Amino acid sequence: MSGVRMIVLDTPEDVGRLAADLFEMEIAARPACVLGLATGSTPLPLYRELVARNKAGRIDFSRVRTFNLDEYEGLAPDHPQSYRRFMQENLFDHINIRPENTRVPDGLAADPEAMFAGYEREIGACGGIDLQLLGIGHDGHIGFNEPGDFFPPCTHDVTLTAQTREANKRFFASLDEVPLRAYTMGVGTVMAARKIVILITGADKADILQRAFFAPVTPQVPASVLQFHHDVTLICDRAAAGR
Ligand code: PGA
């Protein structure tokens, strides 16, 4: 493992609390910072902690700007399974962030290529992402960058793997309802962030943690490229660190 700091804690709640400490420090140091945010089950303890700390007056989101990693293609912002809705329900609706300062790729974009270029332009116009939050898929994806022959540089559209659709079907009524495609920041977009925090919890992630951080870098395991970033903090629980 290279420039990656790995911290192993007992439980997913401990992982959420330590990640919240890093976000609290970032926002205290830079009240108008730019955060890259993620969806999924893994960041939920972190988001609960951020909501609690905002309510307690410890974290002020009034000047913070956020960019989410990804969104399902074809889902409206208010669709129950859209990532925009996920962010509203689990974080944005409960903190003092300005709605116009939160960005999620538009699942209904009429011109996706223009939306991708605009997303990248907007991140650049904000000065780039200061702190990027990541989870990891069982196939090693970050955002929705699935295993492939190269590392996609910019925001783009992807065909989801069968494994990813299977993993995410728990949120939908059936597998058939899980979209086939999605929009995601590129691996290059993620790697341009100044700092990266990746959270990995659960025994089912032990194998991919080992392949991503203790094996050679390969686009077949997209998260492995994080070994080449200069400031990555990997926070995991004991179950995920099992390998
Ligand atoms: P999870 O998703 O946190 O729900 O496991 C992670 C991911 O797919 O990136």
Side-chain angles (χ1 to χ4, degrees), residues 16-17 19-21 23-24 27 35 37 43-61 85-97 133:
R17 268 189 297 273
D21 290 344
F23 277 77
E24 185 175 341
I27 296 166
L35 303 177
L37 297 179
L44 288 176
L46 161 64
Y47 290 158
R48 280 194 288 272
E49 195 64 28
L50 292 179
V51 169
R53 292 185 194 194
N54 180 242
K55 291 204 188 307
R58 276 174 68 178
I59 306 183
D60 175 14
F61 287 92
R85 174 96 168 248
F86 176 99
M87 291 309 299
Q88 293 302 136
E89 289 180 351
N90 291 292
L91 186 64
F92 299 151
D93 286 348
H94 311 289
I95 60 176
N96 70 327
I97 197 160
L133 174 68

Side-chain angles (χ1 to χ4, degrees), residues 87-125:
M87 291 309 299
Q88 293 302 136
E89 289 180 351
N90 291 292
L91 186 64
F92 299 151
D93 286 348
H94 311 289
I95 60 176
N96 70 327
I97 197 160
R98 298 163 72 100
E100 64 271 28
N101 285 353
T102 68
R103 292 280 184 270
V104 179
D106 178 5
L108 295 183
D111 182 350
E113 292 297 331
M115 187 270 286
F116 304 153
Y119 209 65
E120 293 287 333
R121 222 175 14 249
E122 236 189 313
I123 292 171

Side-chain angles (χ1 to χ4, degrees), residues 5-70:
R5 282 179 294 279
M6 178 170 169
I7 301 171
V8 184
L9 301 173
D10 284 332
T11 68
E13 287 68 36
D14 294 332
V15 169
R17 268 189 297 273
L18 182 64
D21 290 344
L22 300 181
F23 277 77
E24 185 175 341
M25 283 192 284
E26 184 70 27
I27 296 166
R30 257 184 252 248
C33 66
V34 181
L35 303 177
L37 297 179
T39 54
S41 304
T42 311
L44 288 176
L46 161 64
Y47 290 158
R48 280 194 288 272
E49 195 64 28
L50 292 179
V51 169
R53 292 185 194 194
N54 180 242
K55 291 204 188 307
R58 276 174 68 178
I59 306 183
D60 175 14
F61 287 92
S62 62
R63 296 174 61 202
V64 170
R65 285 162 299 175
T66 67
F67 289 88
N68 261 78
L69 284 166
D70 46 16

